[in-house]
Amino acid sequence: YLMLTDKVQKEIDKKENELWGDKRILGVLCRGTDYISTKPLGHPVQPDILDVMNKASDVMKKENCDAVYLATEDEMIFENFRERFGDKLIAVSATRYKDTGDNNINEMSDRIIETSTDPAREKYNKGMDYAVTIGLLSRCNCLVAGQVSGTTGALLLTKGYDYVYLFDLGLYGDRE
């Protein structure tokens, strides 16, 4: 369903070898920023960070994972995971955002790109970074995630997980 270019595949291979090699990895995708602050109507409700960390701890024990690979754009989520998992946390270097209030993260990214000296290159780099992040998530042994498009991408790219847990908390707007 989803095919990545050879260039992207090679970058994922390189990062996987750098970050974890042959270790057993739990992948976690955790959205924050605009998803949490704006609660977009009709989109999946995202789990509380504590619930995700607790589930990740349980899965790491039950599935004998050596480390947790975290994919997130949210600085607060990253810091919470770093505090909880310490040297067992793996993540790619990335720009992470703090609370964006009511701003949509895509609009903020567009404004950053507009002020760049090379907007086309900036968009390419962001796209490549995202593809690598999701590609790495697809190569983990286990997955814990909220229901977002990145999760769908990882599920389409994976050759299979030993264990998958997706938070199903309904859609924003269903509870009102």
Side-chain angles (χ1 to χ4, degrees), residues 81-101:
F81 266 80
R82 185 164 59 183
E83 186 177 308
R84 172 99 174 241
F85 294 98
D87 62 355
K88 291 188 179 217
L89 178 66
I90 298 171
V92 294
S93 295
T95 301
R96 291 189 177 82
Y97 301 93
K98 294 187 184 211
D99 183 82
T100 59

Side-chain angles (χ1 to χ4, degrees), residues 8 11-12 18 32 50 57 86-87 92 96 102 105 110-111 123-124 158 166 169 174:
V8 175
E11 187 63 25
I12 294 167
E18 285 173 14
L50 187 57
S57 291
D87 62 355
V92 294
R96 291 189 177 82
D102 290 332
I105 198 82
D110 288 344
R111 282 196 299 275
K123 281 187 178 183
Y124 173 84
T158 191
L166 301 178
L169 305 173
D174 284 351

Side-chain angles (χ1 to χ4, degrees), residues 35-91:
Y35 237 99
I36 302 301
S37 64
T38 62
K39 297 176 177 33
L41 187 65
H43 289 258
V45 173
Q46 294 307 294
D48 180 78
I49 182 66
L50 187 57
D51 293 338
V52 178
M53 290 190 302
N54 288 340
K55 186 65 177 179
S57 291
D58 290 346
V59 173
M60 283 184 74
K61 287 177 192 161
K62 288 178 186 170
E63 296 294 325
N64 298 312
C65 294
D66 300 306
V68 58
Y69 167 70
L70 176 64
T72 188
E73 85 295 354
D74 190 295
E75 183 67 26
M76 183 201 70
I77 290 170
F78 177 77
E79 291 300 327
N80 277 287
F81 266 80
R82 185 164 59 183
E83 186 177 308
R84 172 99 174 241
F85 294 98
D87 62 355
K88 291 188 179 217
L89 178 66
I90 298 171

Side-chain angles (χ1 to χ4, degrees), residues 27-40:
V28 175
L29 189 144
C30 201
R31 279 296 314 268
T33 59
D34 63 321
Y35 237 99
I36 302 301
S37 64
T38 62
K39 297 176 177 33

